[in-house]
Each structure stands twice: as C-alpha cells, then as structure tokens.
Amino acid sequence: MTETSQAIEIYVDADACPVKNEVYKVAERHRVKTFVVSNSFLMVPQSPLIERVVVSSGFDAADDWIAERARRGAIVITADIPLAHRCVSAGADVIGPTGKPFTEASIGMALATRNLMEDLRAMGEVTGGPKPFSQKDRSAFLSGLDVAINRLKRAGFGSGAP
C-alpha cells in the first residue's frame, strides 16, 4: 500500500479530552476511523468508525499506544506536549483541544515552555492552571480538525470507510 492510498485515522488521547464529541461529529462527516484511547472505560458512540481502546493503567500507557501508531496520515488529538512531540516526530498531524496545531516548527518551543512552567510550579512561582476551556476554543478545534483532514485528503489519503 503506498502512502497516498493509506486511510486517514484519528487518535484521541481521551482521558481528559474536552472535545471528544466534536471529534465524533467530524469523523462521521468525513468517514474517518477514530480510536478513542484511555486508561479507563469511556462511553463512545456506537459506530463502526469509532473504536474504544482501553489500555493498562500504567504510566503513559495511552500515550505509548498512540505514539506507536502515529504516522503520516494520522491525526492525533492531545493536550499532552511530550506525546505531541513524539507524534509530530513520527509524521502525524497533531492538534490540541483548543485547535492549535503542533508542528515541527512549533513543538520545540511548546516543550520548552512546558518544561519552564513545570519548573516554576515546582518552585511555587506559578500556582494557576490553564485558562478555562471556552466555546471559542471548541470552534477553533472544529476548524483545525477539518483543515487537517482536508489537507490529508488533498495529499491523497483516503477516509478508509465506505
């Protein structure tokens, strides 16, 4: 099978993902197989396009499962910066829940910022978390996912579903 005849697949780092319902809608509209990966049982729509994957509760088990399958033609949905880095390095398109794509050009800065913030939190300098998830974030995510799927279709990847 050549690269351009491969199917687009979506992998969702689902345990704390606020946009699962949006992923389901876009996946159905584009007929794209979607894997919802978590450490515990999550409800997913009954659809041949949506597959629930429950991994062990081991540290980073969901991340490892997703990263092992990341490739050109895959879209990974995650807010986890180290996972995003692994998937971008493997050639996957990676989108955060706010619609922000992680790219080869941006992932280094995202990792550096994450590490800096982690150090500052450890020293007690930063005590707040991320801003609340908004409707604007949800809308930007929908747009970003649509753009990624359409870009892959133009590159010759297919939906893989009848």
Side-chain angles (χ1 to χ4, degrees):
M1 183 179 261
T2 65
E3 178 182 86
T4 56
S5 64
Q6 287 184 334
I8 299 167
E9 294 177 330
I10 299 173
Y11 296 92
V12 181
D13 183 11
D15 283 315
C17 180
V19 290
K20 289 187 288 287
N21 288 331
E22 287 76 7
V23 172
Y24 305 149
K25 289 175 189 169
V26 174
E28 289 288 339
R29 183 171 68 244
H30 287 280
R31 309 291 301 153
V32 173
K33 180 73 174 179
T34 300
F35 299 87
V36 181
V37 186
S38 64
N39 294 105
S40 59
F41 181 86
L42 294 174
M43 294 297 294
V44 300
Q46 290 207 336
S47 165
L49 293 173
I50 312 292
E51 183 174 325
R52 177 189 313 114
V53 178
V54 180
V55 298
S56 73
S57 60
F59 185 71
D60 281 345
D63 294 359
D64 292 342
W65 194 95
I66 293 168
E68 288 167 7
R69 289 154 180 84
R71 59 166 173 78
R72 178 90 172 98
I75 300 171
V76 176
I77 311 302
T78 187
D80 182 305
I81 305 298
L83 173 59
H85 179 255
R86 292 169 69 187
C87 295
V88 165
S89 297
D93 284 60
V94 183
I95 305 169
T98 60
K100 180 181 177 188
F102 293 102
T103 65
E104 287 185 14
S106 69
I107 196 65
M109 181 60 78
L111 270 172
T113 301
R114 175 200 175 268
N115 293 338
L116 173 63
M117 295 305 288
E118 191 173 80
D119 290 345
L120 290 173
R121 278 190 293 276
M123 294 185 310
E125 297 293 325
V126 177
T127 57
K131 65 181 177 143
F133 194 74
S134 70
Q135 186 59 41
K136 182 179 174 187
D137 295 328
R138 200 170 301 281
S139 179
F141 172 78
L142 283 167
S143 176
L145 182 55
D146 242 8
V147 165
I149 290 171
N150 286 320
R151 183 175 44 244
L152 288 171
K153 284 181 176 180
R154 282 192 306 275
F157 290 87
S159 69

